[in-house]
Amino acid sequence: MKKFVTIRDIAREAGVSINTVSRALNDKPDINVETKKKVLEVADRLGYIRDATAVSLRYGLTRVIGVILEDSSNPFYSEVLKGIEMAAKKKKFNVIFMNTERSYELENEAIKTMIGRRVDGMIISPTQEKCDDIKLLSEKGIPFVVLGVHFDELDVPEIYTDDEKGGYLATKHLIEIGRRRILFLNGFTYKSVAKMRLNGYRKALKDFGLEYDESLVYEIEEGYESAYNKVKELLKKGISFDSIFCFNDVFAIGAIGALKEKGIKVPQDIAVVGYDDIYFSKFISPSLTTVKIDKILEGKLAFEMLHGILTKKIGKNVKNVLDVELIVRESTIDKIGE
């Protein structure tokens, strides 16, 4: 049976001390660059595999974090996860991912699973249906970062975007291109992102002297089909609107699908604005005007925050609010550039 390669084997082959091998493998600064290169080459040639269990026992870290996201089918979260994994890889951390399908019960189970796996910490995108599980994590002192939402009632580490500004920018843009009956397809306002985007929508209407009309604001389930069906329903009822601001790009794509099916031209008849700037937004027809969130950056910063908490370089209640910007494309401005 082939035995595992040890640092003693590497030291013997490289002609250096065991301590030197240890410093090289652990990327310590106090080692000659050429010596480090030689040690790593020997370790690779011999097929050395780092004993993660031994490292975790020595340093008290597993170098594994848990990531719990709402909906892996939404391209928004795949980009955020990519950012987390990129930042984790640089710090030699591994990532375990779980999807909650926007269910609080599954979120609670995912947290328990991560604790059972002895992860060093967690990055969590909560449903916000309830906050008992997040509160419990905080009370138990388990390192975590809340991603993408804000809790008014809890003082916990969070990274989220300026969604009120985003809602304002989207609505302001529609008003500035001459739209006055702006339908808002929103998410459920127990979620901070939906509440803040609604605040931005209302603020823009007020700033431009337009009345807020409850008959133009709807909270709907997540997903392409929800927006598609809601727009078809409203058209059938004869609800009058000249533009749509959507909670996210997935909603916007569903809305455009319903409009095109009825022979309604976008943007000539009805202009549409999305939110998130997912990868596909620039490729649909017409290309989608949207509020851009730097999703990879958000993922990277979420990991850096968690790493800072683990290494005690930052406090446990830090907040990081990221900026947003409006990206104007063909769904609101016909023949851009002409």
Side-chain angles (χ1 to χ4, degrees), residues 170-179 182 243 245 271 273 332:
T171 311
K172 175 175 178 283
H173 172 65
L174 289 169
I175 296 170
E176 287 178 338
I177 63 170
R179 309 299 167 135
I182 303 171
S243 52
F245 169 37
V273 178
T332 57

Side-chain angles (χ1 to χ4, degrees), residues 84-101:
I84 293 171
E85 290 176 326
M86 288 168 66
K89 187 177 181 181
K90 284 186 177 180
K91 294 291 186 181
K92 296 181 171 57
F93 274 71
N94 293 310
V95 175
I96 299 174
F97 164 70
M98 294 188 74
N99 177 36
T100 66
E101 299 176 11

Side-chain angles (χ1 to χ4, degrees), residues 235-284:
L235 290 171
K236 188 175 181 179
K237 287 181 177 179
I239 302 295
S240 172
F241 53 93
D242 57 20
S243 52
I244 311 175
F245 169 37
C246 297
F247 173 71
N248 59 29
D249 290 349
V250 174
F251 279 16
I253 293 169
I256 289 173
L259 294 172
K260 291 172 81 171
E261 189 177 288
K262 293 294 183 180
I264 297 170
K265 295 179 181 179
V266 178
Q268 294 90 338
D269 300 325
I270 295 179
V272 179
V273 178
Y275 206 108
D276 291 342
D277 193 29
I278 60 176
Y279 179 74
F280 303 107
S281 297
K282 63 175 78 68
F283 299 115
I284 66 168

Side-chain angles (χ1 to χ4, degrees), residues 131-146:
C131 63
D132 296 350
D133 53 355
I134 304 299
K135 188 184 298 183
L136 184 63
L137 280 177
S138 183
E139 290 170 353
K140 287 185 174 294
I142 296 172
F144 70 96
V145 170
V146 167

Side-chain angles (χ1 to χ4, degrees), residues 180-200:
R180 293 295 180 267
R181 296 278 298 169
I182 303 171
L183 175 67
F184 183 20
L185 298 182
N186 199 10
F188 294 116
T189 49
Y190 62 73
K191 292 184 66 68
S192 63
V193 288
K195 185 188 296 184
M196 287 190 280
R197 290 173 197 179
L198 176 61
N199 289 343

